[in-house]
Amino acid sequence: MGCAFSKKSKQTPGYEEPAVLAAETLFTVSEVEALYELYKKLSNSIFADGLIHKEELQLALFRNKNRRNLFADRIFDLFDIKRNGVIEFGEFVQSLGVFHPNAPVADKIAFAFKLYDLRQTGFIGREELKEMVLALLHESELVLSEDIVETIVDKTINEADLKGDGKIDPDEWKEFVSKHPSLLKNMTLPFLKDINLAFPSFVVSSEAEDSEVYCSNSKFE
């Protein structure tokens, strides 16, 4: 009894039992346990409170807690389901579930739409699209003239905005993605299908690669 109590007392705020999360997601109990090891590492990288703060996600993705990034901000906002300023373990697992190879394509499309819907209006406007294009160029360290950027934005809007109202709604986004499936290329993380307890070591050795998971999520071509 003493050991069981001690183990329980070490659980972090917002902790959910692996069996419960496994029943709600595509992960097995052992995979959820492996994700908890990863979560503990990320959630104590700056603040030792067992919760992932925006700076910790920033550090994990870009190795720089102070470098503001539009994609990191949006990922954090979408993972922070409870809107309480931190990512709890349950939110972490549920959100990662969208990136599972076996997750429904519809879920991936919906998540990507929310990622680009910067102002959470239910549609992607021209200015939001331009912000994303500029963020992509910045992360890729590419410098294009204002005219070329405007051309990219106009071309995308013209193709995706089927109703001609100057914005992209969820249905139009779904149609656009069907024509450009590469937009969802990074919405699937293959290693989530075969997680094991060595998963944290993978993260340590590939933090630089992780930044590409979200930053290159969209290529407006």
Side-chain angles (χ1 to χ4, degrees):
M1 293 293 293
C3 292
F5 177 82
S6 176
K7 181 177 180 180
K8 184 176 181 179
S9 65
K10 293 181 180 180
Q11 305 300 358
T12 59
Y15 175 82
E16 294 184 40
E17 290 295 331
V20 174
L21 291 172
E24 298 174 344
T25 66
L26 293 169
F27 299 113
T28 64
V29 172
S30 62
E31 288 171 340
V32 173
E33 291 172 344
L35 285 175
Y36 185 55
E37 295 304 311
L38 167 62
Y39 179 84
K40 287 192 295 184
K41 172 181 169 58
L42 297 181
S43 62
N44 289 285
S45 59
I46 298 177
F47 306 102
D49 60 358
L51 297 166
I52 297 179
H53 295 253
K54 183 171 290 188
E55 296 89 341
E56 291 172 318
L57 181 65
Q58 191 82 26
L59 180 62
L61 293 178
F62 306 107
R63 294 187 177 182
N64 187 331
K65 66 179 181 180
N66 298 316
R67 180 185 176 191
R68 292 302 301 272
N69 179 278
L70 179 62
F71 291 97
D73 286 345
R74 291 300 297 136
I75 288 294
F76 184 88
D77 290 342
L78 292 177
F79 274 46
D80 179 18
I81 299 171
K82 295 181 180 178
R83 299 289 187 269
N84 58 356
V86 294
I87 300 174
E88 299 178 2
F89 178 56
E91 296 172 316
F92 183 68
V93 175
Q94 291 170 355
S95 297
L96 277 181
V98 177
F99 295 85
H100 192 286
N102 294 337
V105 174
D107 291 351
K108 297 178 185 291
I109 293 175
F111 187 95
F113 182 86
K114 292 178 182 178
L115 182 68
Y116 305 135
D117 179 13
L118 303 180
R119 295 167 182 74
Q120 302 175 51
T121 57
F123 59 83
I124 301 172
R126 189 182 189 286
E127 287 306 309
E128 291 172 302
L129 182 59
K130 184 176 180 179
E131 285 183 54
M132 297 301 268
V133 170
L134 290 174
L136 281 167
L137 294 174
H138 177 72
E139 286 305 313
S140 302
E141 298 184 347
L142 294 176
V143 179
L144 298 180
S145 69
E146 181 70 15
D147 288 344
I148 293 178
V149 171
E150 291 293 338
T151 297
I152 294 173
V153 174
D154 287 341
K155 180 180 179 181
T156 302
I157 285 290
N158 290 336
E159 181 179 353
D161 179 21
L162 301 177
K163 298 175 183 176
D165 54 6
K167 56 191 179 184
I168 304 170
D169 64 29
D171 290 334
E172 291 172 324
W173 173 253
K174 182 178 180 180
E175 180 67 21
F176 185 63
V177 169
S178 70
K179 297 177 181 178
H180 302 277
S182 62
L183 289 168
L184 296 182
K185 179 178 62 176
N186 291 313
M187 284 300 299
T188 295
L189 304 179
F191 55 81
L192 289 180
K193 192 173 183 179
D194 297 297
I195 305 171
N196 52 50
L197 293 179
F199 183 72
S201 65
F202 171 86
V203 176
V204 172
S205 64
S206 63
E207 287 178 336
E209 295 177 4
D210 285 347
S211 65
E212 298 176 0
V213 169
Y214 304 113
C215 288
S216 60
N217 198 10
S218 173
K219 296 180 180 178
F220 297 98
E221 301 173 347

